[in-house]
Amino acid sequence: MKTKRIISTLTMASMLFMTSCCRESATVREPVDYVNPYIGNISHMLVPTYPTVYLPNSMMRVFPVRSDFTGNRLKGLPLIVTRHRSVSTLNFMPCLHSGSVPFAPPAMSLGYDREKVTPYRYGVYLDEQDISVDYAPSHRSAVYSLAFPSSGEGAPCLIFGGRRGEMKADGRVVSGFQPVGRETNVYFYAETDVAPAETFAAAGDTLVLIYPADVTGLGMRYGVSFISVEQAKRNLEREIDGYDVDAVADAGRRAWNEALGKISVEGGTENDKTVFYTSLYRVYERPVMLSEEGRYHSGFDYRVHDDDDRPFYTDDWIWDTYRAAHPLRLLIDRRTESDIIRSYILMAGQSATKWMPTFPGVSGDSRGMNSNHGVAMVADAYAKGLRDFDLEKAYEACKGAIEERSLIPWSDIPAGELDDFYKRNGYFPALKPGEAETVRGVHAWEKRQPIAVTLGTSYDHWCLSLLAQALGRTDEAARFLRSSYNFRNVFNPGTGFFHPKDRDGNFIPDFDYRTSGGPGARDYYDENNGYVYRWDVQHNIGELIALLGGNEAFTAALEDMYDTPYGMSRWEFYNILPDHTGNVGMFSMANEPSLHIPYLYNYAGQPWRTQKRIRNLLEQWFRNDPMGVPGDEDGGGMTAFVVFSQMGFYPVTPGSPTYNIGSPVFSRVRMDLGDGAVFEIEAAGASPDNKYIQSATLNGMPWNKPWFSHDDIKNGGKLTLVMGAKPNTAWGVDSPPPSAGKVQ
C-alpha cells in the first residue's frame, strides 16, 4: 500500500542515520564533523552540558530528556527547549498499544540504546519497544521519523504531554500550547503522515493517538511559535516540506558548516579540533532569534511586535557571556551582534522600568547574578566600531539598570538604603559577624555579595564612562570614571586581597580568603572565593598591579594562587564552594570570573607565564570526553574562552578595543571577519611542547607587544608567531596592555 511505501523510505532513512550519522568521511572532515555534543555531559559538580540539537541561534532546540548523561531511561522525546538547559516543553512518547480503549498510558519513561547526536540530527533506538527514532530540526520546526516493529505486538501510538497546557487532535493534526512564564506560551502545530485510528484524552494534560496496526513507520513534523498555533503552522509550512528527515538534516548540516566555517584551523591534533569546534558550536546556542515572519512575542510587555526587518533575540545570561561570547560574535558575526544589542534596547523600552536586561529570556528578565554587565556588551561593541544601534537609548537603559535599580544581587527592585550607602561611601557594606539581615530585597540564599558587587559595579561604571564620553556627556563621564576606582575602597593593604567591610568601615575579622562567606562565599563574594575575586578588576589591571606593589609582587601573587592548597579535604571545600571546580590551587577554571586571570602576566612583564598557563589549563580541563568541561558552561560563557585561547588571543577587558596574546594551539588560524576581511594567525612550529613565543610580526611589522588592538585587525591582518619549547623571557615584557584612564 502507498502508506507502507512512504514509511519504508522513512524507516530506511532512520536505519541509515542510526548506523552512519557520525561516520567520518573517508576523505575530508568538515567543521561540523568535529563537533562532539557529549563533551562535558558529565558534570564535575553542578550542571553539565547537554547534547543539544539545533541550528545556529535558532528557536528550535532539543536535547534528550533524562535525569543526566548516565540516566538509564528517556523521559519521553523532546519538542522544544525554551530556555538554556531547562527541561523540554511539550514532550511526546511513541509506544505500542495492545488492548482496548480506554487504557492507562505508560509513564514517560523509555529504555534506550544506540543514541547518536550531531548538532543537526538525533537518533535513538527505544530498545524495550523496538522503535527507532530519527529527528532533524529547522529554525522553528522539526521532523521525526519513527520506525515501529512489524511483529504484531501492538498498534503504534503517540502520547503527548502538555504540563498545564492545552492540546487537541483533529485528524492528522495535534496542536496546543504550554505556559512558559507570565503571559507567555509556547505553541505547537504537529502533523503526522498517517491518520490515527483513535484519539482520546487520558489523565492530566495527556493526549493519545493510536494508529492502524499495520503501520510500521510514522512521520511527524511540527512547528513551534511564541505567538499562536496558527503561526506555528505557518512556521512549519515555510520551513519543512514533507517528512524527509534527510532533507532537513542536510540543510542543517550546511547551516552548521557555514557558521563553524567562519574560523578554520590547521595543525594541532584531531582532539584539539574536536574541542575547538565543539566549543564554537556551544557559542551558537544563545541568544535565540525569536522573530516569526516579521513578528515576535516579547516577554517584557507580553505583546506581539513587528520586528521592522531586524530579528529579535533573547535567552542570554550576560554575566557569563559578556566576557568572551559577545566579543567573539563581534569578530565573526557583527550583524547578529548588532541585532542582539538592538533587541536588548527594545526590551528595556518595553519593560516597565526601562532598564537594560541582565538575564533576558522568552518570558522576561530573571535579573540573575550580580552587577549589570549589559553595559560592557554595549561598550565593547561601540569601542570596536559597531554603530548600528541607538547609543543614546542604550546608555540610558544601562545607566538606569545601574543607578536606579538596586545593586542587591538577584533583585529587580528600585535602589534603596544599600545603594545609597554605596553612593556615599564607594563600597557595598557587609554584615558584621553574627548580624542579622534586615534590608528588604536581600535574597536569603544569594545574600549581599558585597565584594562581587563593589568590583563588578566599578567595572560597570568604567563602561558607562566610555559611553558617556562617546555621547559628549563629559561631566557624567568624569563622574563614572572616578567611581570606577571604587575597588580601592575594599582593598586590604595588609593582606593584598579585596576584603569585605562593614558599614562602619572595618574589615570583617577572622577571615579566610579560601572559604569565608558561607555557601558559595555569597556573604562576601559569589560562587568563587577571595583568591579569584582578587583579580576582578578587568578594566584597570595597571592600578591593581600598583595596589599589590608592582610587577614582581603581582606575579608572585598570581603564582601563590596557583600554589595554595584547599587547606581541608576536597569534599569539605566543595561542600562550601561547589562552583569552584577545575582547581589549580585556588584558581578555578570552572567559573567565568576566572577566565581572564591566566592572561594577567602580560600586564606585569612576564607574558611567557601566560603562554605556559593557558596551554596547561587547556590541556588539563578541556578535553574530548564526557567530563571535558570543568564547570557550568552557561551557553557559550566558558566555551568562548576555549575558542579564543586555542586560537591564541583573548579579550581581557570588554570595552577596551584590545586583545591579549596567549599561545596558539594551532599552527594556522583563519578567521572570516565579514565583508572580505580575514584575520590570520600563523604559529610556526606550534605543538604541545612549543608553546612559547620566540618572536612575532603583525601585518608584516616586528611585534614585541603581548597584545594588539582591534584596529590592527578589523580590516584583516596577519599575526605571525615563531614558537619554541623554551620561554623567551625578553619578548613582550616592556609593553603591557592598556588599562583604564586616570581620574582627572
Side-chain angles (χ1 to χ4, degrees), residues 30-300:
E30 295 181 301
V32 74
D33 295 319
Y34 285 101
V35 176
N36 177 7
Y38 289 124
I39 290 179
N41 283 193
I42 298 178
S43 171
H44 289 240
M45 186 63 65
L46 295 178
V47 182
T49 63
Y50 295 93
T52 311
V53 183
Y54 60 100
L55 302 189
N57 298 111
S58 290
M59 181 192 302
M60 179 62 72
R61 294 172 292 179
V62 302
F63 49 76
V65 186
R66 55 188 171 218
S67 55
D68 57 42
F69 175 73
T70 61
N72 189 45
R73 306 188 70 80
L74 295 179
K75 299 177 181 179
L77 296 175
L79 292 182
I80 184 174
V81 170
T82 59
R83 182 174 181 266
H84 171 65
R85 78 187 194 191
S86 66
V87 297
S88 177
T89 304
L90 296 165
N91 293 0
F92 82 104
M93 183 179 76
C95 63
L96 294 173
H97 168 50
S98 57
S100 59
V101 177
F103 79 106
M108 288 281 188
S109 180
L110 302 163
Y112 70 99
D113 196 9
R114 305 205 310 259
E115 183 179 79
K116 304 291 183 183
V117 182
T118 72
Y120 55 88
R121 199 164 190 169
Y122 174 71
V124 69
Y125 174 57
L126 307 177
D127 52 0
E128 294 177 351
Q129 302 200 46
D130 191 20
I131 299 172
S132 294
V133 178
D134 191 8
Y135 169 89
S138 188
H139 299 283
R140 306 163 194 84
S141 59
V143 60
Y144 272 100
S145 172
L146 307 167
F148 294 91
S150 57
S151 59
E153 295 178 0
C157 63
L158 298 182
I159 303 171
F160 290 82
R163 294 197 298 270
R164 305 183 317 283
E166 296 179 6
M167 59 182 60
K168 63 180 181 180
D170 183 7
R172 296 189 298 110
V173 173
V174 179
S175 61
F177 72 89
Q178 178 177 316
V180 292
R182 180 184 170 189
E183 299 184 47
T184 302
N185 299 319
V186 59
Y187 300 89
F188 81 104
Y189 174 90
E191 297 176 348
T192 56
D193 61 345
V194 179
E198 300 175 81
T199 303
F200 60 92
D205 301 321
T206 303
L207 194 63
V208 180
L209 286 74
I210 301 176
Y211 294 85
D214 64 344
V215 171
T216 57
L218 189 63
M220 186 186 80
R221 60 179 188 166
Y222 66 97
V224 296
S225 171
F226 290 95
I227 296 174
S228 67
V229 168
E230 293 74 22
Q231 184 63 56
K233 179 181 179 182
R234 289 198 295 272
N235 292 343
L236 171 63
E237 292 173 341
R238 283 170 46 238
E239 295 181 354
I240 296 179
D241 181 18
Y243 298 84
D244 188 344
V245 177
D246 284 337
V248 177
D250 287 347
R253 179 181 175 87
R254 289 193 297 272
W256 271 113
N257 277 324
E258 180 180 353
L260 299 175
K262 291 178 180 178
I263 306 175
S264 63
V265 296
E266 297 176 21
T269 66
E270 294 297 279
N271 278 337
D272 291 333
K273 293 173 184 173
T274 294
V275 170
F276 179 82
Y277 281 114
T278 303
S279 298
L280 185 55
Y281 139 86
R282 294 284 176 197
V283 176
Y284 279 104
E285 184 185 344
R286 300 193 302 165
V288 297
M289 198 261 278
L290 238 58
S291 290
E292 309 175 46
E293 287 190 307
R295 300 186 302 157
Y296 66 91
H297 172 271
S298 172
F300 288 77

